[in-house]
Amino acid sequence: GKGYIYGERTIDVNDWFFACHFHQDPVMPGPLGIESMFQILQVYMIEEGLGSEMKNPRFNQVLDQISWRYRGQVTTVNKQMSVDLHITKIEKTESRITITADGNLFKDGLRIFEVSGLIFCVEEERS
């Protein structure tokens, strides 16, 4: 109920990870799906101006509460990957803004990742 984010990407058979993840089994590493969710949260925070009042902002991931289930892989035969995130909480303090979200990753319209408790923040960098 706090926000919704959607992003998509065309799969390219020449993507670097297909050639080096598993020997003779070209798949996208699962953590890159999670990384795509963190990246789309970062874009959201920038576009919403979250942290814009900070003098030295830094993005950070919080990995201790994430729950991740997957049922498939992105391979070279797939055409499109898409991600959607449902923001469940936004917390603000003087030096940190934290977003918690649940998300899904799809390949060609089929959901293959389900993530809950994804936490991303922008915080004041300490010198």
Side-chain angles (χ1 to χ4, degrees), residues 41-86:
L41 279 170
Q42 183 173 343
V43 169
Y44 174 81
M45 293 179 92
I46 290 169
E47 296 216 352
E48 292 295 313
L50 299 175
S52 62
E53 69 286 346
M54 295 178 184
K55 293 179 182 174
N56 194 16
R58 176 177 74 108
F59 290 104
N60 201 0
Q61 305 164 353
V62 181
L63 300 174
D64 62 341
Q65 296 183 28
I66 192 170
S67 173
W68 171 25
R69 289 185 277 175
Y70 61 96
R71 303 176 205 46
Q73 300 172 320
V74 175
T75 68
T76 56
V77 300
N78 297 120
K79 304 297 181 211
Q80 184 178 4
M81 179 183 94
S82 56
V83 173
D84 73 356
L85 293 169
H86 302 267

Side-chain angles (χ1 to χ4, degrees), residues 83-102:
V83 173
D84 73 356
L85 293 169
H86 302 267
I87 297 172
T88 58
K89 187 181 343 178
I90 299 175
E91 297 176 305
K92 297 179 182 181
T93 67
E94 186 175 310
S95 61
R96 184 176 184 171
I97 301 169
T98 304
I99 291 183
T100 304
D102 297 331

